[in-house]
Amino acid sequence: MDFPISLSGQPSMIHCVEMHTTGEPTRIIYKGFPSLPGTLLEQRALAKANHDHIRQQLILEPRGHWDMYGAVLCPDTELVASGEAHIGVLFMHNEGFSTMCGHATIALGRFLVDTHDLRIFPKRNELVYDEVERTTTIDLHAPCGVVKITVPCKENGYRSDGMRQVSFVSVPSFATGIQIDVPIPENLRWPQLGNRASLVADISYGGTFYCIVPAVEMGFSGTLKKIDMAAMNIATRSLKEAINTNPKLQQYLRHPDSEDLGFLYSVMVVDASIGVAAEDTAGVETGLCFFADQQVDRSPTGGAVASRVALAHAKGSRKLGERWTYHSLVSNGFDGCGSFVGSVVEELEQPNVGGGSQACVRVKVKGNAYYTGFHCFVVEDGDRIGAKGFSMKGLTE
């Protein structure tokens, strides 16, 4: 079908494939996003500075919603040029552009195997199919580094096999703050905190930084089995602000490689008392992830799984190769369907800027992603509302 309209001030219509991972959407933009030069981090900066209106058009209403998530394919990056990666990606959400996303990486793995259009994925024919394991591997250049994806396949590697789990191996992941005391200023305290002026939490990195805190430590005695989402939204927003505005806590948000990675992305509320353990796993944990501007992740959150496994390893409670089940509220709501499995696959040391080294691990995360549809988006001339994008929260707060 030919459309008699075009995108205002943009080179073409925006073409997307829609997928979900445990109910968490990934809108993969494969055609129509403006070309971005430079390194991937420079491309991320340019996208934020010059094309943020496109992010808003695609993520916010009327084309998306507050909890929509997107991924822009970037065929040309410095690591693609050097042969270290097959393709790059920029991740985007309701607030901007993130540095890592596990659920989207799982979805991207399937799509990058399934597409054979070299205009979309120029290095598609360089992917190697393992006939014994019936898998294809992809080196994905994310803003946090190279993530290796292993995609189960059928038809001699021509198509992905949606019945089996995709896995990825994380960038080096590590705990930076174990059982740290987080002061909560009086103006940020929430009712469930009671008369306490602080709480104890962990901070760990799995492609971006996560604050990991048990629901009971937040004051929610009902755990995550039955939760007041509005109250938890207030509590996690306040906790994130308390960390971000406390100069003494910034030491836990420093990455040895890049200042661009040094920020608190998410508060992950955890509960080890509920959830069904997947087959051949040693334990189970449920999490509720608030990220970006209080987006709620439907999936168990792949980057957070990497950070939680790294944290458990740093605490001495997780062995090399030990598999653990991670649930979200959605996977628990579907009797365990959609859980992620995480395990340490490598122990290593990462050099620190200024000397010394950081003990870290690489984590394998496994999960399923599925197609939900395709979109071709336009912005018609004169459409002021659709051209800017909006959220009901933004209009009412």
Side-chain angles (χ1 to χ4, degrees), residues 326-340:
Y326 293 89
H327 282 292
S328 66
L329 299 188
V330 174
S331 62
N332 278 343
F334 282 85
D335 301 318
C337 177
S339 65
F340 287 1

Side-chain angles (χ1 to χ4, degrees), residues 123-185:
K123 290 186 176 288
R124 171 60 183 85
N125 292 341
E126 297 181 18
L127 301 184
V128 176
Y129 174 64
D130 185 326
E131 294 184 355
V132 176
E133 298 294 331
R134 293 184 296 125
T135 58
T136 297
T137 56
I138 303 163
D139 293 323
L140 179 71
H141 184 189
C144 63
V146 176
V147 179
K148 184 176 289 293
I149 314 171
T150 300
V151 184
C153 294
K154 52 188 177 180
E155 302 173 9
N156 295 322
Y158 192 81
R159 294 292 182 202
S160 65
D161 182 355
M163 299 299 291
R164 295 187 287 154
Q165 288 187 315
V166 175
S167 68
F168 69 86
V169 176
S170 73
V171 295
S173 302
F174 47 89
T176 56
I178 297 177
Q179 295 291 278
I180 61 174
D181 185 73
V182 180
I184 310 297

Side-chain angles (χ1 to χ4, degrees), residues 92-288:
M92 59 188 190
H93 46 62
N94 67 11
E95 189 178 43
F97 294 82
S98 58
T99 57
M100 175 56 190
C101 181
H103 91 269
T105 295
I106 291 170
L108 282 162
R110 287 200 65 197
F111 174 71
L112 291 171
V113 165
D114 291 338
T115 184
H116 291 265
D117 188 337
L118 298 184
R119 295 168 297 180
I120 296 172
F121 186 9
K123 290 186 176 288
R124 171 60 183 85
N125 292 341
E126 297 181 18
L127 301 184
V128 176
Y129 174 64
D130 185 326
E131 294 184 355
V132 176
E133 298 294 331
R134 293 184 296 125
T135 58
T136 297
T137 56
I138 303 163
D139 293 323
L140 179 71
H141 184 189
C144 63
V146 176
V147 179
K148 184 176 289 293
I149 314 171
T150 300
V151 184
C153 294
K154 52 188 177 180
E155 302 173 9
N156 295 322
Y158 192 81
R159 294 292 182 202
S160 65
D161 182 355
M163 299 299 291
R164 295 187 287 154
Q165 288 187 315
V166 175
S167 68
F168 69 86
V169 176
S170 73
V171 295
S173 302
F174 47 89
T176 56
I178 297 177
Q179 295 291 278
I180 61 174
D181 185 73
V182 180
I184 310 297
E186 187 173 357
N187 66 309
L188 293 177
R189 293 172 195 165
W190 54 93
Q192 291 78 11
L193 196 61
N195 60 4
R196 291 184 295 156
S198 66
L199 57 73
V200 176
D202 300 305
I203 295 180
S204 190
Y205 179 85
T208 190
F209 283 98
Y210 294 85
C211 171
I212 301 166
V213 58
V216 292
E217 182 66 18
M218 298 279 289
F220 291 83
S221 57
T223 73
L224 291 178
K225 191 169 185 179
K226 187 176 181 180
I227 200 73
D228 183 336
M229 288 294 289
M232 186 62 82
N233 177 60
I234 293 171
T236 53
R237 181 188 289 274
S238 298
L239 175 56
K240 189 175 184 180
E241 185 174 346
I243 294 171
N244 282 332
T245 56
N246 188 327
K248 294 182 179 180
L249 299 181
Q250 300 314 296
Q251 61 180 310
Y252 303 112
L253 303 176
R254 293 174 185 155
H255 193 278
D257 288 343
S258 173
E259 291 184 1
D260 287 337
L261 303 174
F263 62 95
L264 181 61
Y265 179 61
S266 166
V267 172
M268 169 61 81
V269 185
V270 297
D271 182 354
S273 71
I274 57 174
V276 178
E279 186 177 357
D280 296 327
T281 62
V284 62
E285 185 175 274
T286 293
L288 173 57

Side-chain angles (χ1 to χ4, degrees), residues 7-11 53 381:
L7 286 173
S8 300
Q10 297 173 21
H53 64 290
D381 290 339

Side-chain angles (χ1 to χ4, degrees), residues 279-307:
E279 186 177 357
D280 296 327
T281 62
V284 62
E285 185 175 274
T286 293
L288 173 57
C289 180
F290 290 83
F291 68 97
D293 190 0
Q294 293 302 103
Q295 269 189 249
V296 177
D297 198 333
R298 276 66 173 162
S299 83
T301 313
V305 167
S307 70

